[in-house]
Amino acid sequence: MEKIPNAGFTRVFGFPMEMKNEDQITQQAQRPKYDCLLFDLDDTLYPLNSGLANAIDKNIKDYMVEKLGAEPSKTGELVNLLYSNYGTTIAGLRAIGYDIDYEEYYSFVHGKLPYENLKPDPVLRNLLLSLPYRKLIFTNSDKVHTIKALERLGLEDCFEGMICFETLNPIQKSTVFYYEADIKFEGSKSINPTPKNGVECSEIFDIIEHFAQPEPSAVLPETPIICKPSEHAIKLALKMANLNPQRTLFFEDSVRNIQSGKRLGLHTVLVGRSYRVKGADYAMESIHNLKEAVPELWEADIKAQVACPGTEKLAVETSDI
């Protein structure tokens, strides 16, 4: 190994390699692995058994019957098909031809939820406040529901901002920002026409009949709604919040959303399960297990093993991808 005079390089195997000084190495070693923690809301920051998920499911089915004229016996199958193929029921309804008034839909679906089941969570609050990172909410839910749930949990001041349904699907062609006045997540112009009052359903794609065919030949219609697990939705959210996916830790209860995030380079934590699945770097049964599942988030001094040529090897994190 030959040192090159008056330069920060050493020649190894005939190639010049840059030699970092001690200050540079220390600065790199102390830099945290993450810049931001990105949290889903529903069934992530509060448990599935809170009763809200069951109430939302019932309200969606009631909406279909009362507002869309759906047969009660078919609402269960319809909800399952729309959710599994489009990520959310409202995205699926728009895809198959219903012109939904977004505010009316969310007022109906989230307006009669048992929010009293959500109690202040001082344990989670202390965990979040002890984390020295940017913390953001990224949810498919609407703004009103998101704020109400966070307030019930006592977490409304634990996050810098939120990216919600209206952020990715702005009705007005203007800058969209929510939650804190000084935090702006700028949305692009709406890709949706402004929804009309009521529901129009002159030409509806029969998705139940489509999947009843042994070999469906028709192509499923696309939705104009942007939401998880669409990779486009996640990319847009990252761009709005100015996040580097490789330095962001993503918390989700949905395996599909976790896997979409992982494909885009996010570090991922699956909440609600005690075991990892493909695409999840970490897994924990409850958000309260955060410190046990990802203890390095609290390490004051980031320990890095610096390799000396021919003597040490760098530690490499592995995960199931």
Side-chain angles (χ1 to χ4, degrees):
M1 184 168 67
E2 170 194 358
K3 284 193 174 181
I4 301 175
N6 300 322
F9 292 89
T10 295
R11 192 179 298 277
V12 180
F13 301 120
F15 297 95
M17 296 183 65
E18 183 178 1
M19 296 294 290
K20 295 181 172 60
N21 60 40
E22 186 175 347
D23 289 340
Q24 290 175 310
I25 294 175
T26 301
Q27 184 177 8
Q28 286 187 356
Q30 290 180 344
R31 185 183 182 187
K33 182 176 180 179
Y34 307 111
D35 294 328
C36 181
L37 309 181
L38 193 61
F39 292 87
D40 177 46
L41 172 66
D42 298 306
D43 305 328
T44 297
L45 293 184
Y46 62 84
L48 179 63
N49 63 11
S50 67
L52 267 68
N54 289 338
I56 289 172
D57 182 69
K58 179 183 182 301
N59 292 345
I60 289 174
K61 293 172 182 175
D62 289 345
Y63 176 88
M64 290 179 167
V65 173
E66 295 182 27
K67 301 295 183 178
L68 309 184
E71 297 180 28
S73 61
K74 293 186 176 181
T75 56
E77 183 179 7
L78 183 55
V79 167
N80 290 337
L81 287 173
L82 296 178
Y83 179 79
S84 61
N85 286 281
Y86 292 101
T88 65
T89 306
I90 189 174
L93 288 172
R94 281 301 312 272
I96 65 175
Y98 291 101
D99 191 4
I100 305 293
D101 183 310
Y102 299 160
E103 290 184 6
E104 178 189 59
Y105 175 86
Y106 279 115
S107 178
F108 192 105
V109 170
H110 289 155
K112 298 179 288 185
L113 295 182
Y115 286 107
E116 65 274 8
N117 292 353
L118 298 183
K119 308 298 182 184
D121 192 339
V123 173
L124 178 55
R125 176 181 172 81
N126 289 335
L127 284 173
L128 292 172
L129 292 178
S130 68
L131 289 165
Y133 309 91
R134 289 184 70 193
K135 294 178 284 290
L136 303 173
I137 294 290
F138 178 24
T139 176
N140 284 335
S141 290
D142 66 302
K143 175 185 66 171
V144 172
H145 167 73
T146 302
I147 293 177
K148 187 176 293 185
L150 290 174
E151 287 177 345
R152 294 291 304 185
L153 294 167
L155 307 177
E156 67 274 11
D157 59 344
C158 293
F159 300 94
E160 177 182 302
M162 69 178 179
I163 301 168
C164 60
F165 177 85
E166 294 94 332
T167 319
L168 298 181
N169 303 276
I171 295 175
Q172 302 298 327
K173 296 181 179 180
S174 60
T175 299
V176 178
F177 60 97
Y178 297 112
Y179 204 52
E180 289 194 2
D182 57 337
I183 302 299
K184 297 184 180 181
F185 297 138
E186 297 188 359
S188 58
K189 291 184 179 180
S190 172
I191 64 170
N192 308 326
T194 302
K196 301 173 183 178
N197 292 329
V199 178
E200 292 190 356
C201 48
S202 57
E203 190 175 337
I204 302 302
F205 179 85
D206 192 338
I207 193 170
I208 294 179
E209 176 62 24
H210 171 81
F211 281 102
Q213 303 299 319
E215 296 182 3
S217 56
V219 176
L220 285 177
E222 295 184 0
T223 180
I225 286 181
I226 303 172
C227 63
K228 298 179 288 184
S230 161
E231 291 184 18
H232 173 59
I234 299 174
K235 285 180 181 178
L236 187 56
L238 294 174
K239 182 179 180 180
M240 287 176 173
N242 192 28
L243 298 180
N244 177 353
Q246 296 180 348
R247 296 190 55 79
T248 302
L249 189 59
F250 183 38
F251 295 80
E252 258 282 356
D253 68 292
S254 165
V255 173
R256 291 188 303 174
N257 296 350
I258 283 285
Q259 292 173 344
S260 293
K262 191 62 184 176
R263 286 193 293 270
L264 295 176
L266 287 164
H267 300 270
T268 55
V269 182
L270 181 60
V271 181
R273 303 194 189 192
S274 58
Y275 56 91
R276 293 192 300 166
V277 299
K278 183 178 180 180
D281 297 316
Y282 306 91
M284 53 189 176
E285 289 188 10
S286 165
I287 194 69
H288 290 140
N289 302 131
L290 180 55
K291 202 162 190 175
E292 293 77 20
V294 198
E296 58 266 34
L297 289 175
W298 280 269
E299 291 181 0
D301 298 322
I302 306 299
K303 297 179 180 180
Q305 190 177 23
V306 182
C308 294
T311 60
E312 298 180 14
K313 295 180 180 180
L314 287 173
V316 178
E317 178 188 357
T318 59
S319 62
D320 297 330
I321 300 176

